[in-house]
Amino acid sequence: MKFSTKLLLLILCSLLPQILLAENLVNHKVFLNQKLEVFGLGGTPWEEGSYETERGRAWMDAMHHAYEQILSLTIMDGKEVKHILHTNKALKERLGMVLMSAPKTFYQKDVSGLVRCKIEIPISGKLSLRSAFYLAALRPQPMQPTGFLASWSTPIDVDETQEPSRYKRVVIDARKFDFIPALFPRFFDEHGALLFQEAMIPQAERFSRPVVMFCTNMIDARAGLEEKEVLTLASTMHELHKSDIIVKNEDLADFKHFCNDIIRTPKKQREIMIVYNPDKKIKTGAMKKIEVSEKSDKK
């Protein structure tokens, strides 16, 4: 075996633990703070340029970084923004509007002559990332086989006569799972039927505030409410679907009732809080061994 081949194998073996326990590349601050915050740089220390020109360069640099980060955001399990952007022209237009209207802050030149620009893109609101996806879903392209939001592939049965749920918040403890946050996480029952996704809210009020939110500890998840107003959901996850929550049968009726209330009255205080560990390393590239039963061995 050649020396170069041996060296390559040695490098691969040394990197294998890092590959199997790869750092989560999700930008957790976006989901925890409900906004995307990006900085851009302008200015050439070795040349004299006007402050206004360098401000423009810093803004464009921040826009490029923001667009790159938006493309890597998870919409739902197994689907990122970059996976669907080319299929829907309306989404490109909406994201462009969101980027152009994002609040920006400029800073004076530092000692090195660099100008900094910060832009903040909200996750929820009238002109936000979520509203861009909602409105783009209203204009599916002719070649698009299915809508990329659940509201266009799942019938919504709402019981208008049902009494309001006694809970104001559902808390899901996903810290022990390899959970990955998403813009529109999905909730299933144990048989695989879709129970709820935020995109299922039909009213225009869905733009006003996020229904599904994220935090890192149970204290924040329960803050501001009495114990009787919070339902700690019995749930689990499928090991291959890291942005989906499976609701166990013991709390299924209460969760359906709660989601029915959200769809009927989205302005009321009703939210789903997912508690997860952003520092947890996600295992990748590992598959379980197939277990062969004794009956198949005899055959």
Side-chain angles (χ1 to χ4, degrees), residues 229-295:
E229 296 175 321
V230 179
L231 170 64
T232 303
L233 196 69
S235 59
T236 185
M237 283 185 62
H238 191 284
E239 59 183 347
L240 297 180
H241 303 284
K242 301 184 184 299
S243 296
D244 294 337
I245 300 294
I246 300 173
V247 181
K248 292 185 178 180
N249 290 332
E250 56 196 273
D251 285 336
L252 186 59
D254 285 334
F255 185 72
K256 282 184 175 181
H257 189 183
F258 184 84
C259 293
N260 182 79
D261 224 26
I262 291 177
I263 295 173
R264 276 195 308 169
T265 54
K267 283 189 174 181
K268 278 189 177 180
Q269 185 180 5
R270 298 282 189 275
E271 60 247 359
I272 301 172
M273 185 73 73
I274 301 178
V275 185
Y276 78 105
N277 181 9
D279 299 322
K280 187 177 178 63
K281 293 183 178 180
I282 307 299
K283 291 184 179 180
T284 59
M287 296 183 67
K288 286 187 175 180
K289 292 182 179 180
I290 299 174
E291 296 181 0
V292 181
S293 63
E294 294 181 1
K295 292 182 180 179

Side-chain angles (χ1 to χ4, degrees), residues 2-15:
K2 294 182 178 179
F3 175 76
S4 58
T5 307
K6 289 182 179 179
L7 181 61
L8 180 60
L9 289 174
L10 182 62
I11 294 173
L12 288 175
C13 290
S14 63
L15 292 176

